[in-house]
Amino acid sequence: MIYRSIITIFVLLLSGICFSGSVQARDFVLVIDPGHGGKDVGARGAKTYEKNITLNVARRLGDRIRKECKDVKVVYTRSSDTFVSLKDRADIANEAHGDLFISIHVNSVARKNKRRRSISGAEVYTLGLHRSDDNLAVAMRENSVMSLEADHTEVYQGFDPESSESYIIFELSQSRHMDQSIEMAELVQQSLVSNADRVDKGVRQAGFWVLWATSMPSVLIELDFICNPTQEKFLASEQGQKKLADAIYEGFMTYKEFNPVDDD
């Protein structure tokens, strides 16, 4: 009788361990990075700032994921209109042990550019070689936020966002997450074109410091051009922001389906 009780307890304990292991799979950690914020307004339109558009789209994306994906933990690098350095954004992502990093931005071109009021389209970047001057210009603009920090030369170890010579560190860097980053970029780009009706400017590579510093698959999305009055109106509207967030969501869900997280 005693032996039977011991066996019963052992079986129950073993069953409990197996059951516990089957339901405690690790959540997918998604880090959403709304570009700019606070004193860093980002690109400027006639009526709006990049920092506000990126935050609104990021919130919509995060809210939908939290509502519909119970196995995804959403982490924001900022959830309000505050300034967060590039280093802090990367630190937040790394400390959260993110499985994917999505940085959301809005594009623009110089005032002297003849296409300033007509250029349009979405493009998604991964870390890599800036094979064109346009790609380098976008990376320089997004990296320039570090110059707002008083000690940026020391923090970023002498990296100068305005010097093309500084970008050699990205050319020498081979990311072990490159394949997954490109996969995510392609899925989001396709979704922005098909679901948000954006002009297809393609998947590109360039030297974004924040993508280099995050130890996970990472992409940077340029939603459209705020310098184009028509696109600015779309970017600033609730309908436009919902379309953009939903498009990123669809791309993410497809990526997540084919890239499940380990249970360790």
Side-chain angles (χ1 to χ4, degrees):
M1 190 68 176
I2 296 177
Y3 292 114
R4 183 179 298 175
S5 299
I6 294 174
I7 292 173
T8 300
I9 293 172
F10 177 76
V11 171
L12 289 173
L13 287 172
L14 183 61
S15 298
I17 292 171
C18 294
F19 178 76
S20 174
S22 65
V23 298
Q24 292 186 354
R26 182 172 68 80
D27 286 346
F28 188 107
V29 180
L30 172 64
V31 182
I32 302 177
D33 174 46
H36 308 278
K39 63 183 179 181
D40 173 26
V41 301
R44 301 168 185 258
K47 299 179 179 180
T48 56
Y49 293 141
E50 177 179 4
K51 67 173 184 176
N52 298 325
I53 294 169
T54 61
L55 182 58
N56 290 339
V57 172
R59 282 174 170 171
R60 285 182 178 274
L61 172 62
D63 287 348
R64 183 174 180 188
I65 290 173
R66 283 174 169 167
K67 180 180 179 181
E68 300 183 17
C69 308
K70 301 304 181 183
D71 62 339
V72 177
K73 177 183 178 182
V74 174
V75 176
Y76 292 105
T77 58
R78 71 177 180 99
S79 56
S80 61
D81 185 18
T82 54
F83 176 78
V84 182
S85 71
L86 293 183
K87 181 181 184 303
D88 286 344
R89 293 170 191 267
D91 287 346
I92 290 169
N94 293 332
E95 289 170 8
H97 302 288
D99 296 297
L100 180 66
F101 179 85
I102 299 177
S103 190
I104 301 175
H105 290 260
V106 170
N107 218 336
S108 187
V109 294
R111 292 185 179 277
K112 62 183 180 180
N113 191 309
K114 295 180 179 180
R115 298 181 60 209
R116 179 175 171 82
R117 296 179 60 84
S118 62
I119 190 170
S120 65
E123 53 196 26
V124 184
Y125 283 85
T126 65
L127 177 68
L129 306 181
H130 40 267
R131 301 185 184 279
S132 74
D133 290 340
D134 288 345
N135 291 15
L136 177 59
V138 173
M140 283 183 166
R141 178 168 57 81
E142 301 297 0
N143 289 333
S144 66
V145 62
M146 62 179 62
S147 63
L148 296 177
E149 302 173 53
D151 57 349
H152 72 276
T153 301
E154 180 179 350
V155 171
Y156 298 98
Q157 300 179 341
F159 180 87
D160 181 358
E162 297 183 359
S163 171
S164 58
E165 294 179 356
S166 288
Y167 288 78
I168 192 172
I169 66 170
F170 304 124
E171 296 184 11
L172 298 176
S173 175
Q174 295 295 321
S175 173
R176 62 190 180 94
H177 302 293
M178 181 60 71
D179 290 344
Q180 288 172 297
S181 298
I182 292 175
E183 179 184 359
M184 177 61 182
E186 290 176 343
L187 289 169
V188 172
Q189 181 67 24
Q190 292 167 9
S191 187
L192 286 168
V193 173
S194 60
N195 295 321
D197 305 315
R198 300 299 88 199
V199 172
D200 187 2
K201 292 184 69 66
V203 170
R204 304 185 177 207
Q205 294 182 325
F208 295 94
W209 193 94
V210 74
L211 299 187
W212 173 73
T214 49
S215 57
M216 64 207 67
S218 306
V219 299
L220 187 146
I221 304 168
E222 296 283 0
L223 297 171
D224 214 316
F225 287 80
I226 197 173
C227 55
N228 179 327
T230 301
Q231 304 313 320
E232 180 187 9
K233 183 177 180 180
F234 175 83
L235 291 166
S237 69
E238 288 191 15
Q239 180 184 15
Q241 291 170 5
K242 182 180 185 304
K243 274 191 171 184
L244 292 165
D246 287 346
I248 299 171
Y249 172 86
E250 295 298 334
F252 165 68
M253 290 302 292
T254 303
Y255 173 88
K256 177 176 171 291
E257 179 181 354
F258 291 102
N259 293 274
V261 295
D262 296 329
D263 293 341
D264 55 6

